[in-house]
């Protein structure tokens, strides 16, 4: 008797053109987030065919990041088996909170444009985004499911970094320059 596999094979591997198109869409969503007074983070969930956009989410606040909010909503609307074949696209590497939520939602692949480390270079010790130095690679290496990570996507990184730098430069204030370095260990949305 054959043992059943817990999850189907992941969906189709995205092509470079699909990755670029979906990351540009995420970048536009992140820009919309800033127009609503939120931080420039966004996520997109694409079906196993790598074409069908199932969900899109902008950042909400410090505990409702785009990626974790999208993953929770996806888990409420799709089966774990279906989500294993899907891909979550994010402009920035998911923080450890978001990576954990994506893991538990059973989304099988993440594509991100720029790393959490590059985000820290853009935000510095900004009090609104005290970035945590825990990569999503670290989170997934300690899980029992092989979530595939694609990123950072080098050809997209310059535009994404410029978007973050422009946003955070406008948000800098005297309190941010004086923020203690211990604030750098937690990313907020």
């Amino acid at each position: 008797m054959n043992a059943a596999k817990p999850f189907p094979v992941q969906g189709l591997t995205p092509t470079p053109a699909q990755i670029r198109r979906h990351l540009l869409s995420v970048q536009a969503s992140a820009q919309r987030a800033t127009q609503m007074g939120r931080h420039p983070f966004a996520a997109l969930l694409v079906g196993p065919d790598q074409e069908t956009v199932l969900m899109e989410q902008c950042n909400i606040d410090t505990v409702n990041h785009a990626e974790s909010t999208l993953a929770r909503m996806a888990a409420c609307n799709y089966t774990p088996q279906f989500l294993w074949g899907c891909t979550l696209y994010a402009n920035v590497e998911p923080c450890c909170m978001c990576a954990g939520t994506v893991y538990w939602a059973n989304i099988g692949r993440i594509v991100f444009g720029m790393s959490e480390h590059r985000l820290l270079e853009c935000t510095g010790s900004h009090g609104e985004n005290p970035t945590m130095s825990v990569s999503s690679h670290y989170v997934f290496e300690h899980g029992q499911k092989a979530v595939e990570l694609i990123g950072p996507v080098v050809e997209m990184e310059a535009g994404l970094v410029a978007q973050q730098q422009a946003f955070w430069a406008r948000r800098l204030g005297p309190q941010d320059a004086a923020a203690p370095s211990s604030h750098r260990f937690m990313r907020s949305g």
Side-chain angles (χ1 to χ4, degrees), residues 23-34:
L23 284 177
L24 285 171
S25 179
V26 169
Q27 186 176 13
S29 294
Q31 189 60 39
R32 282 193 304 278
T34 66

Side-chain angles (χ1 to χ4, degrees), residues 3-17:
K5 291 183 180 178
F7 301 107
V9 176
Q10 288 175 326
L12 297 173
T13 300
T15 66

Side-chain angles (χ1 to χ4, degrees), residues 4 9 19 60 64 67 81 86 89 116 125-126 139:
V9 176
I19 289 172
I60 299 171
N64 292 291
E67 305 96 310
Q81 291 78 10
C86 294
Y89 287 82
E116 183 82 0
S125 60
H126 197 289
V139 173

Side-chain angles (χ1 to χ4, degrees), residues 26-105:
V26 169
Q27 186 176 13
S29 294
Q31 189 60 39
R32 282 193 304 278
T34 66
Q35 293 165 355
M36 295 184 289
R38 298 176 179 156
H39 294 168
F41 303 108
L44 186 73
L45 183 66
V46 176
D49 65 357
Q50 292 305 314
E51 290 294 332
T52 307
V53 175
L54 302 171
M55 298 178 138
E56 183 177 4
Q57 181 66 52
C58 295
N59 185 68
I60 299 171
D61 58 33
T62 58
V63 295
N64 292 291
H65 296 181
E67 305 96 310
S68 61
T69 300
L70 184 144
R72 284 192 301 275
M73 293 303 299
C76 290
N77 288 284
Y78 300 101
T79 67
Q81 291 78 10
F82 179 76
L83 288 173
W84 187 247
C86 294
T87 302
L88 183 144
Y89 287 82
N91 57 328
V92 177
E93 177 183 5
C95 71
C96 57
M97 174 182 75
C98 292
T101 307
V102 168
Y103 178 87
W104 288 112

Side-chain angles (χ1 to χ4, degrees), residues 39-43 59 61-68 90-99 112 114-117 119-120 123 126-134 136 164 168 182-189:
H39 294 168
F41 303 108
N59 185 68
D61 58 33
T62 58
V63 295
N64 292 291
H65 296 181
E67 305 96 310
S68 61
N91 57 328
V92 177
E93 177 183 5
C95 71
C96 57
M97 174 182 75
C98 292
F112 61 91
M114 65 182 278
S115 70
E116 183 82 0
H117 179 76
L119 177 63
L120 177 59
T123 63
H126 197 289
E128 290 181 26
N129 199 56
T131 300
M132 191 174 225
S133 296
V134 178
S136 58
Q164 293 291 330
W168 294 104
S182 63
H183 287 188
R184 290 184 179 182
F185 298 107
M186 180 174 56
R187 172 182 168 202
S188 63

